[in-house]
PDB file of all heavy atoms in Angstrom:
ATOM      1  N   ASN A  68       7.459 130.606  10.725  1.00 97.00           N
ATOM      2  CA  ASN A  68       6.160 131.299  10.752  1.00 97.00           C
ATOM      3  C   ASN A  68       4.974 130.350  10.446  1.00 97.00           C
ATOM      4  O   ASN A  68       3.866 130.854  10.361  1.00 97.00           O
ATOM      5  CB  ASN A  68       6.069 132.540   9.742  1.00 97.00           C
ATOM      6  CG  ASN A  68       7.046 133.487  10.157  1.00 97.00           C
ATOM      7  OD1 ASN A  68       7.141 133.871  11.352  1.00 97.00           O
ATOM      8  ND2 ASN A  68       7.870 134.102   9.239  1.00 97.00           N
ATOM      9  N   ASP A  69       5.198 128.953  10.330  1.00 98.00           N
ATOM     10  CA  ASP A  69       4.148 128.099  10.245  1.00 98.00           C
ATOM     11  C   ASP A  69       3.351 128.041  11.515  1.00 98.00           C
ATOM     12  O   ASP A  69       3.907 128.027  12.625  1.00 98.00           O
ATOM     13  CB  ASP A  69       4.561 126.703   9.865  1.00 98.00           C
ATOM     14  CG  ASP A  69       4.872 126.368   8.486  1.00 98.00           C
ATOM     15  OD1 ASP A  69       4.347 127.113   7.623  1.00 98.00           O
ATOM     16  OD2 ASP A  69       5.395 125.206   8.182  1.00 98.00           O
ATOM     17  N   LYS A  70       1.947 127.974  11.401  1.00 98.00           N
ATOM     18  CA  LYS A  70       1.148 127.725  12.532  1.00 98.00           C
ATOM     19  C   LYS A  70       1.186 126.226  12.817  1.00 98.00           C
ATOM     20  O   LYS A  70       0.855 125.509  11.834  1.00 98.00           O
ATOM     21  CB  LYS A  70      -0.237 128.325  12.468  1.00 98.00           C
ATOM     22  CG  LYS A  70      -0.254 129.777  12.367  1.00 98.00           C
ATOM     23  CD  LYS A  70       0.032 130.447  13.588  1.00 98.00           C
ATOM     24  CE  LYS A  70      -1.065 130.419  14.669  1.00 98.00           C
ATOM     25  NZ  LYS A  70      -0.734 131.037  15.933  1.00 98.00           N
ATOM     26  N   VAL A  71       1.335 125.767  13.999  1.00 98.00           N
ATOM     27  CA  VAL A  71       1.468 124.321  14.290  1.00 98.00           C
ATOM     28  C   VAL A  71       0.680 123.946  15.505  1.00 98.00           C
ATOM     29  O   VAL A  71       0.373 124.787  16.399  1.00 98.00           O
ATOM     30  CB  VAL A  71       2.993 123.746  14.483  1.00 98.00           C
ATOM     31  CG1 VAL A  71       3.630 124.022  13.104  1.00 98.00           C
ATOM     32  CG2 VAL A  71       3.711 124.573  15.445  1.00 98.00           C
ATOM     33  N   GLN A  72       0.446 122.700  15.605  1.00 98.00           N
ATOM     34  CA  GLN A  72      -0.094 122.083  16.919  1.00 98.00           C
ATOM     35  C   GLN A  72       0.948 121.076  17.260  1.00 98.00           C
ATOM     36  O   GLN A  72       1.614 120.501  16.422  1.00 98.00           O
ATOM     37  CB  GLN A  72      -1.420 121.566  16.752  1.00 98.00           C
ATOM     38  CG  GLN A  72      -1.687 120.280  15.888  1.00 98.00           C
ATOM     39  CD  GLN A  72      -3.021 119.831  15.738  1.00 98.00           C
ATOM     40  OE1 GLN A  72      -3.967 120.556  15.935  1.00 98.00           O
ATOM     41  NE2 GLN A  72      -3.190 118.513  15.422  1.00 98.00           N
ATOM     42  N   PHE A  73       1.019 120.851  18.570  1.00 97.00           N
ATOM     43  CA  PHE A  73       2.160 120.013  19.158  1.00 97.00           C
ATOM     44  C   PHE A  73       1.793 119.586  20.566  1.00 97.00           C
ATOM     45  O   PHE A  73       0.938 120.111  21.215  1.00 97.00           O
ATOM     46  CB  PHE A  73       3.446 120.779  19.092  1.00 97.00           C
ATOM     47  CG  PHE A  73       3.491 121.952  19.901  1.00 97.00           C
ATOM     48  CD1 PHE A  73       4.087 121.936  21.149  1.00 97.00           C
ATOM     49  CD2 PHE A  73       3.039 123.158  19.390  1.00 97.00           C
ATOM     50  CE1 PHE A  73       4.154 123.143  21.973  1.00 97.00           C
ATOM     51  CE2 PHE A  73       3.209 124.355  20.132  1.00 97.00           C
ATOM     52  CZ  PHE A  73       3.710 124.349  21.453  1.00 97.00           C
ATOM     53  N   GLU A  74       2.603 118.620  21.081  1.00 97.00           N
ATOM     54  CA  GLU A  74       2.576 118.142  22.535  1.00 97.00           C
ATOM     55  C   GLU A  74       3.869 118.503  23.040  1.00 97.00           C
ATOM     56  O   GLU A  74       4.912 118.635  22.297  1.00 97.00           O
ATOM     57  CB  GLU A  74       2.063 116.731  22.573  1.00 97.00           C
ATOM     58  CG  GLU A  74       0.786 116.424  21.983  1.00 97.00           C
ATOM     59  CD  GLU A  74       0.567 114.887  22.019  1.00 97.00           C
ATOM     60  OE1 GLU A  74       0.116 114.423  23.090  1.00 97.00           O
ATOM     61  OE2 GLU A  74       0.750 114.331  20.987  1.00 97.00           O
ATOM     62  N   LEU A  75       3.954 118.489  24.345  1.00 96.00           N
ATOM     63  CA  LEU A  75       5.237 118.654  25.079  1.00 96.00           C
ATOM     64  C   LEU A  75       5.608 117.307  25.724  1.00 96.00           C
ATOM     65  O   LEU A  75       4.749 116.677  26.269  1.00 96.00           O
ATOM     66  CB  LEU A  75       5.098 119.783  26.109  1.00 96.00           C
ATOM     67  CG  LEU A  75       4.955 121.142  25.511  1.00 96.00           C
ATOM     68  CD1 LEU A  75       4.800 122.189  26.710  1.00 96.00           C
ATOM     69  CD2 LEU A  75       6.079 121.557  24.575  1.00 96.00           C
ATOM     70  N   LEU A  76       6.904 116.982  25.612  1.00 96.00           N
ATOM     71  CA  LEU A  76       7.425 115.802  26.231  1.00 96.00           C
ATOM     72  C   LEU A  76       8.655 116.292  27.111  1.00 96.00           C
ATOM     73  O   LEU A  76       9.443 116.966  26.697  1.00 96.00           O
ATOM     74  CB  LEU A  76       8.041 114.894  25.009  1.00 96.00           C
ATOM     75  CG  LEU A  76       8.666 113.607  25.520  1.00 96.00           C
ATOM     76  CD1 LEU A  76       7.662 112.722  26.199  1.00 96.00           C
ATOM     77  CD2 LEU A  76       9.342 112.961  24.394  1.00 96.00           C
ATOM     78  N   GLN A  77       8.483 115.830  28.312  1.00 94.00           N
ATOM     79  CA  GLN A  77       9.590 116.102  29.384  1.00 94.00           C
ATOM     80  C   GLN A  77      10.784 115.145  29.077  1.00 94.00           C
ATOM     81  O   GLN A  77      10.600 113.948  29.073  1.00 94.00           O
ATOM     82  CB  GLN A  77       9.177 115.906  30.741  1.00 94.00           C
ATOM     83  CG  GLN A  77      10.110 116.154  31.862  1.00 94.00           C
ATOM     84  CD  GLN A  77      10.446 117.646  31.906  1.00 94.00           C
ATOM     85  OE1 GLN A  77       9.573 118.591  31.937  1.00 94.00           O
ATOM     86  NE2 GLN A  77      11.746 117.948  31.788  1.00 94.00           N
ATOM     87  N   THR A  78      11.960 115.804  28.849  1.00 91.00           N
ATOM     88  CA  THR A  78      13.152 114.945  28.596  1.00 91.00           C
ATOM     89  C   THR A  78      14.178 115.358  29.716  1.00 91.00           C
ATOM     90  O   THR A  78      13.881 116.295  30.478  1.00 91.00           O
ATOM     91  CB  THR A  78      13.664 115.165  27.147  1.00 91.00           C
ATOM     92  OG1 THR A  78      14.169 116.474  27.166  1.00 91.00           O
ATOM     93  CG2 THR A  78      12.714 114.867  26.089  1.00 91.00           C
ATOM     94  N   LYS A  79      15.281 114.656  29.631  1.00 92.00           N
ATOM     95  CA  LYS A  79      16.305 115.111  30.665  1.00 92.00           C
ATOM     96  C   LYS A  79      16.735 116.554  30.473  1.00 92.00           C
ATOM     97  O   LYS A  79      17.261 117.088  31.386  1.00 92.00           O
ATOM     98  CB  LYS A  79      17.548 114.131  30.379  1.00 92.00           C
ATOM     99  CG  LYS A  79      17.298 112.732  30.852  1.00 92.00           C
ATOM    100  CD  LYS A  79      18.495 111.901  30.545  1.00 92.00           C
ATOM    101  CE  LYS A  79      18.204 110.410  30.919  1.00 92.00           C
ATOM    102  NZ  LYS A  79      19.268 109.536  30.671  1.00 92.00           N
ATOM    103  N   LYS A  80      16.679 117.053  29.197  1.00 90.00           N
ATOM    104  CA  LYS A  80      17.103 118.446  28.974  1.00 90.00           C
ATOM    105  C   LYS A  80      15.997 119.417  28.970  1.00 90.00           C
ATOM    106  O   LYS A  80      16.171 120.571  28.745  1.00 90.00           O
ATOM    107  CB  LYS A  80      17.798 118.487  27.638  1.00 90.00           C
ATOM    108  CG  LYS A  80      18.993 117.638  27.556  1.00 90.00           C
ATOM    109  CD  LYS A  80      19.782 117.852  26.236  1.00 90.00           C
ATOM    110  CE  LYS A  80      21.070 117.078  26.232  1.00 90.00           C
ATOM    111  NZ  LYS A  80      21.875 117.249  25.048  1.00 90.00           N
ATOM    112  N   GLY A  81      14.778 119.039  29.366  1.00 92.00           N
ATOM    113  CA  GLY A  81      13.601 119.925  29.542  1.00 92.00           C
ATOM    114  C   GLY A  81      12.453 119.501  28.528  1.00 92.00           C
ATOM    115  O   GLY A  81      12.425 118.489  28.076  1.00 92.00           O
ATOM    116  N   LEU A  82      11.544 120.469  28.302  1.00 93.00           N
ATOM    117  CA  LEU A  82      10.375 120.177  27.527  1.00 93.00           C
ATOM    118  C   LEU A  82      10.737 120.351  26.095  1.00 93.00           C
ATOM    119  O   LEU A  82      11.313 121.265  25.653  1.00 93.00           O
ATOM    120  CB  LEU A  82       9.176 121.092  27.910  1.00 93.00           C
ATOM    121  CG  LEU A  82       8.603 121.004  29.314  1.00 93.00           C
ATOM    122  CD1 LEU A  82       7.553 122.092  29.555  1.00 93.00           C
ATOM    123  CD2 LEU A  82       7.842 119.601  29.310  1.00 93.00           C
ATOM    124  N   ASN A  83      10.257 119.380  25.351  1.00 97.00           N
ATOM    125  CA  ASN A  83      10.506 119.322  23.891  1.00 97.00           C
ATOM    126  C   ASN A  83       9.086 119.260  23.187  1.00 97.00           C
ATOM    127  O   ASN A  83       8.181 118.468  23.600  1.00 97.00           O
ATOM    128  CB  ASN A  83      11.343 118.114  23.384  1.00 97.00           C
ATOM    129  CG  ASN A  83      12.745 118.297  23.690  1.00 97.00           C
ATOM    130  OD1 ASN A  83      13.187 119.288  24.290  1.00 97.00           O
ATOM    131  ND2 ASN A  83      13.583 117.269  23.421  1.00 97.00           N
TER     132      ASN A  83
END
Side-chain angles (χ1 to χ4, degrees):
N68 297 314
D69 274 347
K70 295 293 285 179
V71 293
Q72 66 180 28
F73 61 97
E74 295 175 85
L75 292 176
L76 176 68
Q77 181 66 51
T78 68
K79 291 178 184 177
K80 295 184 178 182
L82 290 173
N83 287 356

